[in-house]
Amino acid sequence: MCGIVGYIGKRQVFPILIKGLKRLEYRGYDSAGVAMINDNGDLSVYKTKGKVADLEQFCEDKNITGTVGIAHTRWATHGEPSSVNAHPHYSESKNIAIIHNGIIENYADLKKKLVADGVKFRSDTDTEVIVQLIEYIQTRKNVDLLTAVRFALTQLIGAYAIAVLDKRDKDQIIAARKQSPLVIGIGEDEFFLGSDATPIIEYTDKVVYLDDDNIAVIRRGEDLKVVNTLNDTLNPEVCTVDLDLGQIEKGGFPHFMLKEIFEQPECLENCMRGRINVEANNVTLSAVIDYRRQLLAAKRVIIVACGTSWHAGLIGKQLIESLCRIPVEVEYASEFRYRNPVIDSSDVVIAISQSGETADTLAAVNLAKDNGAFVYGVCNAIGSSIPRDTDTGSYIHVGPEIGVASTKAFTGQVTVLLMLALALGKEKGTITNEQYSKIVSELCTVPEKMKSLLKLND
Ligand code: GLU
């Protein structure tokens, strides 16, 4: 999940947003954007692929006046990294803009219904569904923004931290969260918003950490109001933060690797989100549904990868062989590409890479494709080269990994390989219903078990 910044008050908003985004750069991201209500009353959205510095340059000749705004650094989960898919996203009328961290599981269903009702979408993101749904409710039911947000949130399944601006009310930001952090900083006649406290603490040490299903109504000149989806007013606890910036940028950890180790339970929840249905005891991978025939026809699986991904592949071999009864070979991509390996159209090649750009693995993908194999990618970075070059695949959805030694990407890769082995084994009938249900329900408990191992519950 990437970065959120927001501000409403007396100061010029643009420098605060840019500085806040820069403070959040440590989280890694692929694009950035801002939405502001300018002094002339326009709701402007400026966004670019690339770095915050690119966004600043892009805004050089734009109207950046105004004292209310929201900003975002995106790590793509739905739709490739591009300026169109970057946040903020406008509603169809361009009256409302939204930023969002997280993943909306049921976005495809919601989008289908909105499109059938004539709503026009601009991006491939799950996020745009939220803002279009808010506007749809606002206009159809003729309700205010808060009510529309409340109603929209009850229809969402997934994780979100959002901030919403409406051009017709320059004195308000509405923010909400579920399973994705959001912090509000309280200053003198001004409010700050952040996905963590990093962009806030240089202005104020008074913060409110929103809880799940909390909706904050942040109004210029008024006290902070927090409600739930039923509109009951809540009493949020105002905390004092006493962290220094260096500490907070790494989430309080001395280095990124440790931070990423501790992120694993949350990352695995994101990795399984929308794919494992606990109640129905079911694993659904869209790639297995869409390419069932090609996957079931595999006479052999060849896993190609490098480094830590290769080690995930070794575990994948055990899982696929035992649950799907297909022979699996695990190859070092750098060796494989320079040999003259025997591959043909009865092979399925699984390419594993965190970045999706590992040069040897990419070369192995193309070699396999040239020899007629069906190629499946298991990657983290959305829209990177390997997912683009493979026939299908599954993202691991663990967010940016900055530490060079892989931690959360490794556990994400193993989780996806297990989900793949389960889904395929079920289709092939090589796994009993009992075995299947047992593994699925045990897999669901892994994040909680990891939390207790990491003592995150204490
Ligand atoms: N799911 C959203 C997207 O792909 C938000 C990603 C994020 O958390 O940065 O645009």
Side-chain angles (χ1 to χ4, degrees), residues 1-2 72-78 87 100-102 125-127:
M1 315 275 162
C2 273
H72 191 256
T73 45
R74 175 180 187 235
W75 172 264
T77 66
H78 292 66
H87 303 205
H100 163 226
N101 276 358
T125 61
D126 50 343
T127 301

Side-chain angles (χ1 to χ4, degrees), residues 309-330:
S309 303
W310 179 81
H311 284 91
L314 293 179
I315 301 177
K317 174 183 162 83
Q318 309 288 325
L319 297 169
I320 296 170
E321 286 192 342
S322 74
L323 301 178
C324 310
R325 310 309 300 154
I326 311 172
V328 182
E329 290 167 20
V330 187

